[in-house]
Amino acid sequence: MKTLEHMPLNGELPSPKGVALAILELCRKDDATIAEVARIAQTDPALASRLIRQANSAAHGATRPVASVTEAIMRLGMGTVRNLALGFSLVDQYQNGPCGQFDYQGFWSHSLLMGLAMQRFSNMTGAGSSEELFACGLLAQVGRLSLATVYPMEYGRLLDCQDGAVRNLVALEQEHLQTDHNELTAALLGEWGIPGALIEPIYHHEEPERSGFSPGSRPYQLVHLFYLARRVADLGLAGENERNACTAELLLLGGKIGLDAEQLGATVDDLVLQWREWGDLLRVPASALPSFAHMSAAHAMRDEGAGGASALRVLLVDDDPTTRCMMEGVLAGALGHSVVCANNGHEALALAVETQPQIVITDWMMPGMDGLDLARALRATEWGQTIYLIMLTGLETEDEVSEAFEAGVDDFLVKPVNVRTLRARLRAARHYVQLLDAWERDRAQLKQFAAELAISNRRLAHAAMTDLLTNLPNRRSGMNALAKAWAAASRFEQPLSVMMLDIDHFKRVNDSHGHAVGDTVLRDVAQAIQQSARKDDSVCRMGGEEFLVICSNTDLKAAIQAAERLRRMVERLRIQAGDAEIQTSVSIGVATREVGMTETDALVNAADRALYRAKQAGRNRSCVVVQGQMRCFP
């Protein structure tokens, strides 16, 4: 993510003023005390009352209410007080601004509800300090305010062009302003001292599935909580016609943190009450909303009404034109479903393949292919097994019912059809379709989670066997590779050699240039070893400045040649450390598997002894041990 210095900004960014700025600067000092912060905060009565209110909030779980600013700061913590003062200062300053198309009041209303929701949900899940996350929720969209402040004319035109989609707005911002509100939010939060562990989830919270965080990790939990809090805030500002999608999604998101519909409804209703109280305190508009249960019920009622995206796809099959016309009028006109009609079973089967209906209502007695044959034909297909099938019949004997259920029928309607009964049967059918849709979504999510888990496991397995600094296999991986090479050498009666390497005078590099330069030397030497190794050689970092090279199907002579080639390559390395140029070298111990060696440790120990001899002999050389005899090169 970019820093403020790398952003093409040509105006003054929003920043805290007055008391908030003084608190921010004081909290940056290591020796700042609570008494000093309280003394500054008390000079602003509005800020003082807000801090006390926040410290006494129900979400904090305090048993004794606080009455002084000092107690409030002690309870909240200086970091949280700094963030709250920052947020409240920006709310007070930017109630309006130069960008005519930007809704400043609506922005802060949304941000306030998002902050309160983040506080509540983090408190429920234990994701972090609820007070700190309240401030983070309040400031999670501050990049939008900043763009409206820095580029009032340009940003206004972008807001006129955008279609409401988050990704569309980000693309427009990048195209016309060379940055976007998420980048700017992250840069500002970093400038103000918000921890990076919180900035990353905030940066990705608009599209959490694209964050790349590992499922189950704290960033993954936080980014989804920020998204949930944002959707609650979206509901707070949504129009009546927009609440359908919000309530439906919130029910799904709430379930992911263990809230059923009743618990989620109670939580949202309580958040709206808090929102209105805080709105009065901060002079931010906060509208009254119907209860969540009422909004959910209204959503369900609209689902059952005429028209809308919730209309069911119905295939009606009857050879009687009068019955077919009456039923179509009820299904399409009164109930608002999408209806396709067929005269007989053969025509119905062809239409079913084409239209993939969710519900089939078919007469039993028809010429050619009757209702039972149609039911059996549909159930014989994979997609036909998910259709809800209602049979129309003039009689309803026990034998007929048994035969129909064996053919795959789900329900019956006795002719002549009663409209009220038909409506009741379709309500059951709708419930089945909704459950089926929910099951399909859950299955898709489980498949996605399984795929993400497999990827995460592969990453963990790779990390467990990889040295993070050099990206070479680590000691554990190297020992596993040596065991496999040993087994292969035994099975095929092939030679096996190893090289143990140590960077010469490495401690001197760390002492003279620092550990950061030492890490650079380790990485460059590791890369040189990897490049010098042959295709079938295995290289690993044993720890510190030691490396192991496993040379499969390699006799002693070839191993010595490989060691000398590697040593000369490292000797030629020139490693830049600022203005200085570092030249280094390695000492190498070479050993080959001999008769009498029964395990890998014996081979490694022999190479270790040869390495020790190479260092004794003056370093920057290779030594080999053969039947207890040592020899060094050059």
Coordinates of all heavy atoms in Angstrom, one line a residue, residues 61-144:
G61 N -18.6 -3.5 29.5 CA -18.8 -4.4 30.6 C -18.3 -3.9 31.9 O -18.0 -4.7 32.8
A62 N -18.2 -2.6 32.1 CA -17.7 -2.1 33.4 C -18.8 -2.3 34.5 O -20.0 -2.2 34.2 CB -17.4 -0.6 33.2
T63 N -18.4 -2.5 35.7 CA -19.4 -2.7 36.8 C -19.7 -1.3 37.5 O -20.7 -1.1 38.0 CB -18.8 -3.6 37.8 OG1 -17.5 -3.2 38.3 CG2 -18.7 -5.0 37.2
R64 N -18.7 -0.4 37.5 CA -18.9 0.9 38.2 C -18.7 2.0 37.2 O -17.7 2.0 36.5 CB -17.8 1.0 39.3 CG -18.0 2.3 40.1 CD -16.8 2.5 41.1 NE -15.5 2.6 40.5 CZ -15.0 3.7 40.0 NH1 -15.7 4.8 40.1 NH2 -13.8 3.7 39.4
P65 N -19.7 2.8 37.0 CA -19.6 3.9 36.0 C -18.5 4.9 36.4 O -18.2 5.1 37.6 CB -21.0 4.6 36.1 CG -21.5 4.2 37.4 CD -21.0 2.9 37.7
V66 N -17.8 5.4 35.4 CA -16.8 6.5 35.7 C -17.4 7.8 35.6 O -18.4 8.0 34.9 CB -15.6 6.3 34.8 CG1 -14.9 5.0 34.9 CG2 -16.0 6.6 33.3
A67 N -16.8 8.8 36.3 CA -17.4 10.1 36.3 C -16.4 11.2 35.9 O -16.7 12.4 35.7 CB -18.0 10.5 37.7
S68 N -15.1 10.8 35.8 CA -14.0 11.8 35.5 C -13.3 11.4 34.2 O -13.3 10.2 33.9 CB -13.0 11.9 36.7 OG -12.3 10.7 36.7
V69 N -12.7 12.4 33.6 CA -11.9 12.1 32.4 C -10.8 11.2 32.7 O -10.4 10.3 31.9 CB -11.5 13.4 31.8 CG1 -10.6 13.2 30.6 CG2 -12.7 14.3 31.4
T70 N -10.1 11.4 33.8 CA -9.0 10.6 34.2 C -9.3 9.1 34.3 O -8.7 8.2 33.7 CB -8.3 11.1 35.5 OG1 -8.0 12.4 35.4 CG2 -7.1 10.2 35.9
E71 N -10.5 8.8 35.0 CA -10.9 7.4 35.1 C -11.3 6.9 33.7 O -11.0 5.7 33.4 CB -12.1 7.4 36.0 CG -11.8 7.6 37.5 CD -13.1 7.4 38.3 OE1 -14.0 8.3 38.1 OE2 -13.2 6.5 39.1
A72 N -11.9 7.7 32.9 CA -12.3 7.3 31.5 C -11.0 6.9 30.7 O -11.0 5.8 30.0 CB -13.1 8.3 30.8
I73 N -10.0 7.7 30.8 CA -8.8 7.4 30.0 C -8.1 6.1 30.6 O -7.6 5.3 29.8 CB -7.8 8.6 30.1 CG1 -8.5 9.8 29.4 CG2 -6.5 8.3 29.5 CD1 -7.7 11.1 29.5
M74 N -8.1 6.0 31.9 CA -7.5 4.8 32.5 C -8.3 3.5 32.0 O -7.7 2.5 31.8 CB -7.6 4.8 34.0 CG -6.6 5.9 34.6 SD -6.8 6.0 36.4 CE -6.2 4.4 36.9
R75 N -9.6 3.6 31.9 CA -10.4 2.5 31.5 C -10.2 2.2 30.0 O -10.1 1.0 29.6 CB -11.9 2.7 31.9 CG -12.8 1.6 31.5 CD -14.2 1.7 32.0 NE -14.1 1.5 33.5 CZ -15.2 1.7 34.3 NH1 -16.4 2.0 33.7 NH2 -15.1 1.5 35.6
L76 N -10.2 3.2 29.2 CA -10.1 3.0 27.8 C -8.7 2.7 27.3 O -8.5 2.0 26.3 CB -10.6 4.3 27.0 CG -12.1 4.7 27.2 CD1 -12.4 6.0 26.6 CD2 -12.9 3.6 26.5
G77 N -7.7 3.3 28.0 CA -6.3 3.2 27.5 C -5.9 4.4 26.6 O -6.8 4.9 25.9
M78 N -4.7 4.8 26.7 CA -4.3 6.0 26.0 C -4.4 5.8 24.5 O -4.7 6.8 23.7 CB -2.9 6.4 26.4 CG -2.9 7.0 27.8 SD -1.2 7.3 28.4 CE -0.6 8.4 27.2
G79 N -4.1 4.7 23.9 CA -4.1 4.4 22.5 C -5.6 4.6 22.0 O -5.8 5.2 21.0
T80 N -6.5 4.1 22.7 CA -7.9 4.2 22.3 C -8.4 5.6 22.4 O -9.1 6.1 21.6 CB -8.8 3.3 23.2 OG1 -8.4 1.9 23.0 CG2 -10.3 3.4 22.8
V81 N -8.0 6.3 23.5 CA -8.4 7.7 23.7 C -7.8 8.6 22.5 O -8.5 9.4 22.0 CB -7.8 8.3 25.0 CG1 -8.0 9.8 25.1 CG2 -8.6 7.6 26.1
R82 N -6.6 8.3 22.1 CA -6.0 9.0 21.0 C -6.9 8.8 19.7 O -7.2 9.7 19.0 CB -4.6 8.5 20.7 CG -3.9 9.1 19.5 CD -2.8 8.2 19.0 NE -3.3 6.9 18.6 CZ -2.6 5.8 18.4 NH1 -1.3 5.8 18.6 NH2 -3.2 4.6 18.0
N83 N -7.2 7.5 19.4 CA -8.0 7.2 18.2 C -9.4 7.9 18.3 O -9.9 8.3 17.3 CB -8.1 5.7 18.0 CG -6.8 5.1 17.8 OD1 -5.8 5.8 17.4 ND2 -6.7 3.8 18.0
L84 N -10.0 7.8 19.5 CA -11.4 8.4 19.6 C -11.3 9.9 19.5 O -12.2 10.5 18.8 CB -11.9 8.1 21.0 CG -12.3 6.6 21.2 CD1 -12.7 6.4 22.7 CD2 -13.5 6.2 20.3
A85 N -10.3 10.6 20.1 CA -10.2 12.0 19.9 C -10.0 12.4 18.5 O -10.5 13.4 18.0 CB -9.0 12.5 20.8
L86 N -9.2 11.6 17.8 CA -8.9 11.8 16.3 C -10.3 11.7 15.5 O -10.6 12.6 14.8 CB -8.0 10.8 15.8 CG -7.8 10.6 14.3 CD1 -7.2 11.9 13.7 CD2 -6.9 9.4 14.0
G87 N -11.0 10.6 15.8 CA -12.3 10.5 15.1 C -13.3 11.6 15.4 O -13.9 12.1 14.5
F88 N -13.5 11.9 16.7 CA -14.4 12.9 17.0 C -14.0 14.3 16.5 O -14.9 15.1 16.1 CB -14.5 13.0 18.6 CG -15.1 11.8 19.2 CD1 -14.7 11.4 20.5 CD2 -16.0 11.0 18.5 CE1 -15.3 10.2 21.1 CE2 -16.6 9.8 19.1 CZ -16.2 9.5 20.4
S89 N -12.7 14.5 16.4 CA -12.3 15.8 15.9 C -12.7 16.0 14.4 O -13.1 17.0 13.9 CB -10.8 15.9 16.0 OG -10.3 17.1 15.3
L90 N -12.5 14.9 13.6 CA -12.8 14.9 12.2 C -14.3 15.1 12.0 O -14.8 15.8 11.1 CB -12.3 13.7 11.5 CG -10.8 13.5 11.5 CD1 -10.4 12.2 10.8 CD2 -10.1 14.6 10.7
V91 N -15.1 14.4 12.8 CA -16.6 14.5 12.7 C -17.0 16.0 13.0 O -17.8 16.5 12.2 CB -17.3 13.6 13.8 CG1 -18.8 13.8 13.8 CG2 -17.0 12.1 13.5
D92 N -16.4 16.6 14.0 CA -16.8 18.0 14.3 C -16.4 18.9 13.1 O -17.1 19.9 12.8 CB -16.1 18.4 15.6 CG -16.7 17.8 16.8 OD1 -17.9 17.3 16.7 OD2 -16.0 17.7 17.8
Q93 N -15.2 18.7 12.5 CA -14.7 19.7 11.6 C -15.4 19.5 10.2 O -15.5 20.5 9.5 CB -13.2 19.4 11.3 CG -12.3 19.8 12.5 CD -10.9 19.5 12.1 OE1 -10.3 20.2 11.3 NE2 -10.3 18.5 12.7
Y94 N -15.7 18.3 9.8 CA -16.2 18.1 8.4 C -17.6 17.7 8.3 O -18.0 16.7 7.7 CB -15.2 17.0 7.8 CG -13.8 17.5 7.7 CD1 -12.9 17.2 8.7 CD2 -13.4 18.3 6.6 CE1 -11.6 17.6 8.6 CE2 -12.1 18.7 6.5 CZ -11.2 18.4 7.5 OH -9.9 18.9 7.4
Q95 N -18.5 18.5 9.0 CA -19.9 18.3 8.8 C -20.4 18.7 7.4 O -21.5 18.3 7.0 CB -20.6 19.2 9.9 CG -20.4 18.7 11.3 CD -21.2 17.5 11.7 OE1 -22.2 17.2 11.1 NE2 -20.8 16.8 12.7
N96 N -19.6 19.6 6.7 CA -19.9 19.9 5.4 C -18.6 20.2 4.7 O -17.5 20.3 5.4 CB -20.9 21.1 5.3 CG -20.5 22.2 6.2 OD1 -19.4 22.8 6.0 ND2 -21.3 22.6 7.1
G97 N -18.6 20.5 3.4 CA -17.3 20.8 2.7 C -17.5 21.2 1.3 O -18.7 21.5 0.8
P98 N -16.5 21.3 0.5 CA -16.5 21.9 -0.8 C -17.1 21.1 -1.9 O -17.4 21.6 -3.0 CB -15.0 22.3 -1.1 CG -14.3 21.2 -0.4 CD -15.1 20.9 0.9
C99 N -17.2 19.8 -1.7 CA -17.7 18.9 -2.8 C -19.2 18.8 -2.7 O -19.7 18.1 -1.8 CB -17.0 17.5 -2.7 SG -17.5 16.3 -4.0
G100 N -19.9 19.4 -3.7 CA -21.3 19.4 -3.7 C -22.0 18.1 -3.8 O -23.1 17.8 -3.3
Q101 N -21.4 17.1 -4.5 CA -22.0 15.8 -4.7 C -21.7 14.8 -3.6 O -22.3 13.7 -3.5 CB -21.5 15.2 -6.0 CG -21.9 15.9 -7.3 CD -21.0 17.0 -7.7 OE1 -20.2 17.5 -6.8 NE2 -21.0 17.4 -8.9
F102 N -20.8 15.2 -2.6 CA -20.5 14.3 -1.5 C -21.4 14.6 -0.3 O -21.5 15.8 0.1 CB -19.0 14.5 -1.1 CG -18.5 13.5 -0.1 CD1 -18.2 12.2 -0.4 CD2 -18.4 13.9 1.2 CE1 -17.8 11.3 0.5 CE2 -18.0 13.0 2.2 CZ -17.6 11.7 1.8
D103 N -22.1 13.6 0.2 CA -23.0 13.7 1.3 C -22.2 13.6 2.6 O -22.0 12.5 3.1 CB -24.1 12.6 1.2 CG -25.1 12.8 2.3 OD1 -25.1 13.7 3.1 OD2 -26.0 11.9 2.3
Y104 N -21.8 14.8 3.1 CA -21.0 14.8 4.3 C -21.8 14.2 5.5 O -21.2 13.4 6.3 CB -20.5 16.2 4.6 CG -19.5 16.7 3.6 CD1 -19.9 17.3 2.4 CD2 -18.1 16.5 3.8 CE1 -18.9 17.8 1.5 CE2 -17.2 17.0 2.9 CZ -17.6 17.6 1.8 OH -16.7 18.0 0.8
Q105 N -23.0 14.7 5.7 CA -23.8 14.2 6.8 C -24.1 12.7 6.7 O -24.0 12.0 7.7 CB -25.1 15.0 6.8 CG -25.0 16.5 7.1 CD -24.8 16.7 8.6 OE1 -25.6 16.5 9.4 NE2 -23.6 17.3 8.9
G106 N -24.4 12.3 5.5 CA -24.6 10.8 5.3 C -23.4 10.0 5.5 O -23.4 8.9 6.1
F107 N -22.2 10.6 5.1 CA -21.0 9.9 5.3 C -20.7 9.6 6.8 O -20.4 8.5 7.2 CB -19.8 10.7 4.7 CG -18.4 10.2 5.1 CD1 -17.9 9.2 4.4 CD2 -17.7 10.8 6.2 CE1 -16.6 8.7 4.8 CE2 -16.5 10.3 6.5 CZ -15.9 9.3 5.8
W108 N -20.9 10.7 7.6 CA -20.6 10.5 9.1 C -21.7 9.7 9.7 O -21.4 8.9 10.7 CB -20.5 11.9 9.8 CG -19.2 12.6 9.5 CD1 -19.0 13.8 8.9 CD2 -17.9 12.0 9.8 NE1 -17.7 14.0 8.8 CE2 -17.0 13.0 9.3 CE3 -17.4 10.9 10.3 CZ2 -15.6 12.8 9.4 CZ3 -16.0 10.7 10.5 CH2 -15.1 11.7 10.0
S109 N -22.9 9.8 9.2 CA -24.0 8.9 9.8 C -23.6 7.4 9.6 O -23.7 6.6 10.5 CB -25.3 9.2 9.1 OG -26.4 8.5 9.6
H110 N -23.2 7.1 8.3 CA -22.8 5.7 8.0 C -21.6 5.3 8.8 O -21.5 4.2 9.3 CB -22.5 5.7 6.5 CG -22.2 4.3 6.0 ND1 -20.9 3.8 6.1 CD2 -22.9 3.4 5.3 CE1 -20.9 2.6 5.6 NE2 -22.1 2.3 5.0
S111 N -20.6 6.2 8.9 CA -19.4 5.9 9.6 C -19.7 5.7 11.1 O -19.1 4.7 11.7 CB -18.4 7.0 9.5 OG -18.0 7.2 8.1
L112 N -20.5 6.4 11.7 CA -20.9 6.3 13.1 C -21.5 4.9 13.4 O -21.2 4.2 14.3 CB -21.8 7.4 13.6 CG -22.3 7.3 15.0 CD1 -21.2 7.3 16.0 CD2 -23.3 8.5 15.3
L113 N -22.5 4.6 12.6 CA -23.2 3.3 12.7 C -22.2 2.1 12.5 O -22.2 1.1 13.2 CB -24.4 3.1 11.8 CG -25.2 1.9 11.9 CD1 -25.6 1.6 13.4 CD2 -26.4 2.0 11.0
M114 N -21.3 2.3 11.5 CA -20.3 1.2 11.3 C -19.4 1.1 12.5 O -19.0 0.0 12.9 CB -19.5 1.6 10.0 CG -18.5 0.5 9.7 SD -17.7 0.8 8.1 CE -16.4 -0.5 8.0
G115 N -19.0 2.2 13.1 CA -18.1 2.2 14.3 C -18.8 1.5 15.4 O -18.2 0.6 16.1
L116 N -20.1 1.8 15.7 CA -20.8 1.2 16.8 C -21.0 -0.3 16.5 O -20.9 -1.2 17.4 CB -22.2 1.8 16.9 CG -22.2 3.3 17.4 CD1 -23.5 3.9 17.3 CD2 -21.8 3.3 18.9
A117 N -21.3 -0.7 15.2 CA -21.5 -2.1 14.9 C -20.1 -2.9 15.1 O -20.1 -4.0 15.6 CB -22.0 -2.2 13.5
M118 N -19.0 -2.2 14.7 CA -17.7 -2.9 14.8 C -17.4 -3.1 16.3 O -16.9 -4.1 16.7 CB -16.7 -2.0 14.1 CG -15.3 -2.7 14.0 SD -15.5 -4.2 12.9 CE -14.1 -5.1 13.3
Q119 N -17.8 -2.1 17.1 CA -17.5 -2.2 18.5 C -18.3 -3.4 19.1 O -17.8 -4.2 19.9 CB -18.0 -1.0 19.2 CG -18.0 -1.0 20.8 CD -18.4 0.3 21.4 OE1 -17.6 1.1 21.7 NE2 -19.7 0.5 21.5
R120 N -19.6 -3.5 18.7 CA -20.5 -4.6 19.2 C -20.0 -6.0 18.8 O -19.9 -6.9 19.6 CB -21.9 -4.3 18.8 CG -22.9 -5.4 19.3 CD -23.0 -5.5 20.8 NE -23.5 -4.2 21.3 CZ -24.8 -3.9 21.4 NH1 -25.7 -4.7 21.1 NH2 -25.1 -2.7 21.9
F121 N -19.8 -6.1 17.5 CA -19.4 -7.4 17.0 C -18.1 -7.9 17.4 O -17.8 -9.1 17.7 CB -19.5 -7.4 15.4 CG -20.9 -7.3 14.9 CD1 -21.1 -6.3 13.9 CD2 -21.9 -8.0 15.4 CE1 -22.4 -6.2 13.4 CE2 -23.2 -7.8 14.9 CZ -23.5 -6.9 13.9
S122 N -17.1 -7.0 17.6 CA -15.8 -7.4 18.1 C -15.9 -7.8 19.5 O -15.2 -8.7 20.0 CB -14.8 -6.2 17.9 OG -15.2 -5.1 18.7
N123 N -16.8 -7.1 20.3 CA -17.0 -7.5 21.7 C -17.6 -8.9 21.8 O -17.3 -9.7 22.7 CB -17.9 -6.5 22.4 CG -17.8 -6.5 23.9 OD1 -16.7 -6.5 24.4 ND2 -18.9 -6.7 24.5
M124 N -18.5 -9.2 20.8 CA -19.2 -10.5 20.8 C -18.2 -11.6 20.5 O -18.2 -12.8 21.0 CB -20.3 -10.6 19.8 CG -21.5 -9.8 20.2 SD -22.7 -9.9 18.8 CE -24.2 -9.2 19.7
T125 N -17.3 -11.4 19.6 CA -16.4 -12.4 19.0 C -15.0 -12.4 19.7 O -14.2 -13.3 19.5 CB -16.2 -12.2 17.5 OG1 -15.6 -10.9 17.3 CG2 -17.5 -12.4 16.8
G126 N -14.7 -11.4 20.5 CA -13.4 -11.3 21.1 C -12.3 -11.0 20.1 O -11.1 -11.4 20.3
A127 N -12.6 -10.3 19.0 CA -11.6 -10.1 17.9 C -10.6 -9.0 18.3 O -9.6 -8.9 17.6 CB -12.3 -9.6 16.7
G128 N -10.8 -8.2 19.3 CA -9.9 -7.2 19.7 C -10.5 -6.2 20.6 O -11.7 -6.4 21.1
S129 N -9.8 -5.1 21.0 CA -10.4 -4.1 21.8 C -11.6 -3.5 21.2 O -11.5 -2.8 20.1 CB -9.3 -3.0 22.1 OG -9.9 -1.9 22.7
S130 N -12.8 -3.6 21.8 CA -14.0 -3.1 21.1 C -13.9 -1.6 21.0 O -14.5 -1.0 20.1 CB -15.2 -3.5 21.9 OG -15.1 -3.1 23.3
E131 N -13.3 -0.9 22.0 CA -13.2 0.6 21.9 C -12.3 1.0 20.8 O -12.6 2.0 20.1 CB -12.8 1.1 23.3 CG -13.5 0.6 24.5 CD -15.0 0.9 24.4 OE1 -15.4 1.8 23.7 OE2 -15.8 0.3 25.1
E132 N -11.2 0.4 20.7 CA -10.3 0.7 19.6 C -10.9 0.4 18.2 O -10.8 1.2 17.3 CB -9.0 -0.1 19.7 CG -7.9 0.2 18.7 CD -6.6 -0.4 18.9 OE1 -6.6 -1.6 19.2 OE2 -5.6 0.2 18.7
L133 N -11.7 -0.7 18.1 CA -12.3 -1.0 16.9 C -13.5 -0.1 16.6 O -13.9 0.0 15.4 CB -12.7 -2.5 16.9 CG -11.5 -3.4 16.8 CD1 -11.9 -4.9 17.0 CD2 -10.8 -3.3 15.5
F134 N -14.1 0.5 17.6 CA -15.1 1.5 17.3 C -14.5 2.7 16.6 O -15.0 3.1 15.6 CB -15.7 2.0 18.7 CG -16.5 3.3 18.5 CD1 -17.8 3.3 18.1 CD2 -15.9 4.5 18.8 CE1 -18.5 4.5 17.9 CE2 -16.6 5.7 18.7 CZ -17.9 5.7 18.2
A135 N -13.3 3.1 17.0 CA -12.6 4.2 16.3 C -12.2 3.8 14.9 O -12.3 4.6 14.0 CB -11.4 4.7 17.1
C136 N -11.8 2.6 14.8 CA -11.4 2.1 13.4 C -12.6 2.0 12.5 O -12.5 2.4 11.3 CB -10.7 0.7 13.5 SG -9.1 0.8 14.3
G137 N -13.8 1.6 13.0 CA -15.0 1.6 12.2 C -15.4 3.0 11.8 O -15.8 3.2 10.7
L138 N -15.2 3.9 12.7 CA -15.6 5.3 12.5 C -14.7 5.9 11.3 O -15.2 6.7 10.6 CB -15.4 6.1 13.7 CG -15.9 7.6 13.7 CD1 -17.4 7.7 13.6 CD2 -15.4 8.3 15.0
L139 N -13.5 5.5 11.3 CA -12.5 6.0 10.3 C -12.2 5.2 9.1 O -11.4 5.5 8.3 CB -11.2 6.3 11.0 CG -11.2 7.3 12.2 CD1 -9.9 7.3 12.9 CD2 -11.5 8.7 11.6
A140 N -13.0 4.0 9.0 CA -12.7 3.1 7.9 C -12.9 3.6 6.5 O -12.4 3.0 5.6 CB -13.5 1.8 8.1
Q141 N -13.7 4.7 6.4 CA -13.9 5.2 5.0 C -13.4 6.6 4.9 O -13.8 7.4 4.0 CB -15.4 5.2 4.8 CG -16.1 3.8 4.7 CD -15.9 3.3 3.3 OE1 -16.4 3.9 2.3 NE2 -15.3 2.1 3.1
V142 N -12.4 7.0 5.8 CA -12.0 8.4 5.8 C -11.3 8.8 4.5 O -11.2 10.0 4.1 CB -11.0 8.6 7.0 CG1 -9.7 8.0 6.7 CG2 -10.9 10.1 7.3
G143 N -10.9 7.8 3.7 CA -10.3 8.1 2.4 C -11.3 8.8 1.4 O -10.9 9.6 0.6
R144 N -12.6 8.4 1.5 CA -13.6 9.1 0.7 C -13.7 10.5 1.1 O -13.8 11.4 0.2 CB -14.9 8.3 0.8 CG -14.8 6.9 0.3 CD -16.2 6.2 0.3 NE -17.1 6.9 -0.6 CZ -18.3 7.3 -0.3 NH1 -18.8 7.1 0.9 NH2 -19.1 7.9 -1.2

